[in-house]
């Protein structure tokens, strides 16, 4: 439980992104040795996958403010790096989450690739709006912020018609951009450069 | 001399490069990024997956125990605890009831419920503005062992954040008190859109307020494409509480496929019974 709703959401977002990237990386490494020479296969011990951008699809009724989410994301990325060596021990190893994903899920945990998060990771937000179905007109309508202010979730033709919300509360990661890098011979030490890079962290 | 800007440090002697100096890269073979090494993954994954998985576990647990779980949400002071007190008073004769209370601080609400002779667990969230599925799973372990018929979760008084977190409940109920104003459903649409029922509380105050219209509140609620039941009640005087309690009993019976007659005939509160 975190004090702030958007911030705890961003922490969830980073965790889910890393879990998914780990699962995909496991799948790829399991496929590669069969397709290519084993020497060509990525050496997962020395490689790391760096997430550079995350795309999120947000429905109108997800209850999340886009601008707050952006601000909270920057804070969450900084927070992630600040506690990076310690917080990963609090959670289950990422490979454990990846078991149900894909047919190569039986890959040994030693294959797990290091998933890192770029300090300049970007958040891209897609607004998805909401969809409403009118049971009298038998049609569905797309509701965006402007429409909602005009006639809420009513049927735009007649506000007396009974309607149903079809979609609009989704909150999904739709894309992850990444780079594969060889682990640097120098250990990555994020360090505390200053006490509070954001100024006031009240988001 | 200061150590902040580095003005106390001695500058390194600057030696000009001669024409014959050969530069070499720091790493023997710099690795070039090929197309294969950077890319993007198109996927669909819910951000709330961790919470939703825990909520699903909670729901399985509650379902197996035959417990009907109700999540009560409202702004602070809308009358959640008073409604629970009068609901528990009516249910406790025939059903096993327990309550989980969420507040930032104090045990006050749990103590009020315990005074009714019913088990209550208080979650002090500290500074968190909502309950999540993990908090419910932990609180659930503190409840007395044995089957339960009804579990009420009183969420933190907040009309914004609790809407985003699935707890494993069977029904989300919102309270709107007459002192808050009838436009609140439109002001906080996310929460009021997803509730399975709306309680208009403190209607005994309507004779003193002329700026709250019951029909307007319901109309605003319907504008959010929500056709769930609405109960107007006064937990203090007992007006309308029986309709609400009967809905709880009937919904639980439908959910667990109990025939109404399988529970004792006195289990339903007769309409108009004194509180």
């Amino acid at each position: 439980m975190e004090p702030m709703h958007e911030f705890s959401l961003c922490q969830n977002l980073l965790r889910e992104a890393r879990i998914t990237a780990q699962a995909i990386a496991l799948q790829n490494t399991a496929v590669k040795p069969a397709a290519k020479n084993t020497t060509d296969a990525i050496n997962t011990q020395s490689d790391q996958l760096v997430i550079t951008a995350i795309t999120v699809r947000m429905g109108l009724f997800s209850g999340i403010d886009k601008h707050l989410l952006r601000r909270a994301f920057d804070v969450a990325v900084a927070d992630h790096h600040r506690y990076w060596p310690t917080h990963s021990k609090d959670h289950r190893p990422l490979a454990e989450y990846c078991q149900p994903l894909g047919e190569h899920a039986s890959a040994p945990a030693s294959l797990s690739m290091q998933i890192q998060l770029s300090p300049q990771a970007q958040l891209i937000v897609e607004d998805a709006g909401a969809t409403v179905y009118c049971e009298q007109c038998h049609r569905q309508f797309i509701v965006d912020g402007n429409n909602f202010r005009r006639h809420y979730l009513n049927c735009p033709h007649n506000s007396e018609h009974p309607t149903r919300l079809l979609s609009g509360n989704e909150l999904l990661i739709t894309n992850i951009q990444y780079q594969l890098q060889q682990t640097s011979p120098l250990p990555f030490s994020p360090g505390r450069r200053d006490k509070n890079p954001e100024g006031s962290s009240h988001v | 001399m200061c150590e902040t800007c580095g003005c106390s440090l001695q500058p390194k002697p600057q030696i000009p490069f001669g024409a014959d100096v050969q530069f070499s890269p720091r790493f023997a073979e710099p690795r070039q990024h090929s197309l294969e090494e950077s890319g993007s993954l198109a996927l669909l994954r819910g951000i709330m997956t961790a919470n939703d998985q825990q909520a699903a576990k909670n729901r399985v647990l509650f379902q197996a125990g035959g417990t009907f779980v109700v999540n009560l949400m409202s702004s602070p002071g809308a009358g959640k605890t008073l409604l629970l007190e009068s609901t528990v008073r009516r249910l406790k004769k025939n059903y096993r009831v327990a309550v989980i209370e969420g507040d930032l601080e104090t045990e006050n609400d749990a103590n009020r419920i315990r005074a009714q002779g019913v088990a209550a667990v208080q979650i002090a969230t500290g500074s968190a503005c909502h309950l999540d599925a993990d908090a419910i799973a932990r609180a659930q372990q503190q409840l007395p062992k044995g089957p339960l018929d009804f579990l009420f979760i009183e969420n933190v008084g907040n009309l914004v954040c609790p809407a985003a977190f699935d707890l494993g409940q069977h029904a989300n109920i919102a309270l709107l008190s007459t002192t808050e104003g009838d436009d609140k459903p439109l002001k906080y649409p996310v929460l009021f859109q997803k509730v399975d029922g709306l309680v208009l509380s403190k209607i005994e105050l309507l004779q003193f307020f002329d700026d709250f219209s019951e029909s307007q509140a319901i109309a605003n609620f319907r504008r959010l494409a929500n056709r769930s039941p609405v109960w107007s009640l006064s937990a203090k005087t007992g007006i309308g509480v029986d309709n609400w309690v009967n809905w709880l009993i009937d919904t639980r019976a439908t959910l667990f496929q109990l025939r109404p007659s399988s529970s004792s005939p006195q289990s339903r509160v007769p309409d108009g019974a004194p509180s």
Side-chain angles (χ1 to χ4, degrees):
Chain A
M1 263 190 306
E2 294 300 329
M4 212 274 308
H5 177 195
E6 267 81 6
F7 178 65
S8 77
L9 193 103
C10 276
Q11 290 189 315
N12 284 349
L13 167 65
L14 295 184
R15 189 175 63 234
E16 297 300 334
R18 292 173 66 229
I19 290 168
T20 316
Q22 177 82 75
I24 306 272
L26 271 181
Q27 264 183 6
N28 287 350
T29 48
V31 173
K32 269 193 176 147
K36 290 176 151 197
N37 265 336
T38 37
T39 48
D40 282 356
I42 301 172
N43 180 1
T44 50
Q45 291 302 319
S46 67
D47 275 356
Q48 59 183 9
L49 187 148
V50 182
I51 297 174
T52 53
I54 302 174
T55 311
V56 170
R57 184 179 299 164
M58 230 169 62
L60 186 68
F61 273 73
S62 58
I64 304 299
D65 182 83
K66 193 183 5 178
H67 305 285
L68 273 183
L69 188 73
R70 286 234 171 82
R71 286 182 60 189
F73 184 78
D74 294 341
V75 178
V77 170
D79 181 78
H80 172 88
H81 286 117
R82 175 159 299 169
Y83 297 105
W84 171 61
T86 50
H87 70 61
S88 55
K89 285 173 196 153
D90 304 337
H91 298 295
R92 287 188 287 158
L94 286 172
E96 208 174 305
Y97 284 98
C98 309
Q99 293 307 323
L101 236 162
E103 59 195 43
H104 305 288
S106 55
S110 62
L111 270 180
S112 71
M113 185 183 270
Q114 268 203 328
I115 306 292
Q116 300 289 358
L117 189 68
S118 161
Q120 276 98 37
Q122 280 195 319
L123 179 71
I124 302 159
V125 180
E126 293 174 2
D127 280 318
T131 335
V132 161
Y133 180 76
C134 174
E135 300 191 347
Q136 298 264 305
C137 308
H138 299 291
R139 281 181 58 192
Q140 61 183 50
F141 304 95
I142 292 169
V143 184
D144 60 12
N146 283 333
N147 284 340
F148 181 76
R149 256 160 249 136
R150 218 173 303 139
H151 40 70
Y152 304 103
L153 297 181
N154 285 334
C155 171
H157 302 307
N158 186 341
S159 59
E160 299 296 309
H161 287 176
T163 51
R164 250 188 309 151
L165 188 71
L166 294 182
S167 75
N169 34 29
E170 65 265 32
L171 199 53
L172 298 166
I173 302 176
T174 53
N175 201 314
I176 295 176
Q177 283 175 39
Y178 64 89
Q179 281 188 351
L180 292 177
Q181 286 182 355
Q182 198 171 39
T183 315
S184 154
L186 298 170
F188 171 57
S189 53
R192 291 170 181 245
R193 268 170 313 202
D194 52 356
K195 281 234 163 96
N196 198 348
E198 286 284 313
S200 161
S201 64
H202 290 285
V203 181
Chain B
M1 286 296 196
C2 83
E3 293 178 355
T4 314
C5 70
C7 64
S8 64
L9 298 173
Q10 292 295 322
K12 267 189 182 174
Q14 302 288 311
I15 305 162
F17 291 120
D20 55 341
V21 173
Q22 291 281 320
F23 289 102
S24 62
R26 192 167 164 196
F27 302 123
E29 271 184 45
R31 203 176 155 100
Q32 299 294 318
H33 282 298
S34 68
L35 267 181
E36 191 180 291
E37 287 167 346
S38 65
S40 67
L41 311 165
L43 52 108
L44 287 175
R45 187 175 173 98
I47 295 170
M48 305 295 288
T49 307
N51 184 69
D52 290 348
Q53 280 172 351
Q54 182 61 52
K57 277 185 209 162
N58 291 354
R59 194 168 280 122
V60 166
L61 207 64
F62 293 139
Q63 193 82 26
T67 312
F68 183 55
V69 185
V70 178
N71 177 23
L72 283 177
M73 299 179 284
S74 81
S75 53
K80 292 186 292 296
T81 313
L82 193 63
L83 174 67
L84 277 182
E85 281 177 313
S86 76
T87 309
V88 163
R89 200 177 302 136
R90 284 164 171 78
L91 284 175
K92 68 180 176 188
K93 284 173 219 149
N94 298 306
Y95 297 95
R96 291 154 294 187
V97 184
V99 177
I100 295 175
E101 293 277 350
D103 278 303
L104 300 200
E105 282 302 336
T106 78
E107 288 263 330
N108 294 356
D109 283 2
N111 288 338
R112 280 171 68 180
I113 299 295
R114 284 175 198 137
Q116 301 282 330
V118 162
V121 175
Q122 177 81 48
I123 305 174
T125 59
S127 56
C129 50
H130 57 267
L131 296 178
D132 60 12
D134 267 332
I136 296 303
R138 268 180 275 129
Q140 203 263 342
Q141 290 166 1
Q142 295 177 38
L143 286 171
K145 297 277 173 282
L148 274 177
D149 298 318
F150 287 97
L151 176 64
F152 295 96
I153 300 168
E154 183 184 329
N155 220 312
V156 180
N158 184 339
L159 286 175
V160 186
C161 310
F165 292 85
D166 187 5
L167 306 178
Q169 76 282 351
H170 294 108
N172 277 318
I173 303 293
L175 269 84
L176 177 62
S177 66
T178 53
T179 51
E180 287 171 62
D182 49 27
D183 57 344
K184 287 300 170 290
L186 297 183
K187 283 189 174 172
Y188 301 93
V190 176
L191 190 142
F192 285 100
Q193 206 292 314
K194 64 168 53 171
V195 295
D196 306 303
L198 177 69
V199 172
L200 296 178
S201 61
K202 305 189 189 176
I203 55 162
E204 81 273 15
L205 294 178
L206 275 180
Q207 49 179 313
F208 306 109
F209 289 103
D210 52 359
D211 49 358
F212 183 92
S213 155
E214 219 176 306
S215 56
Q216 194 60 44
I218 296 173
N220 286 339
F221 181 56
R222 298 287 179 234
R223 280 187 187 158
L224 298 171
N226 198 331
R227 279 173 288 152
S228 311
V230 178
W231 305 274
S232 297
L233 56 84
S234 160
K236 198 169 179 113
T237 61
I239 304 164
V241 179
D242 295 336
N243 289 335
W244 149 251
V245 171
N246 287 338
W247 179 84
L248 288 173
I249 294 169
D250 291 344
T251 314
R252 176 173 177 272
T254 331
L255 182 71
F256 296 110
Q257 290 160 351
L258 309 167
R259 281 175 46 235
S261 58
S262 70
S263 52
S264 63
Q266 291 86 29
S267 64
R268 267 181 74 105
V269 183
D271 294 340
S275 60

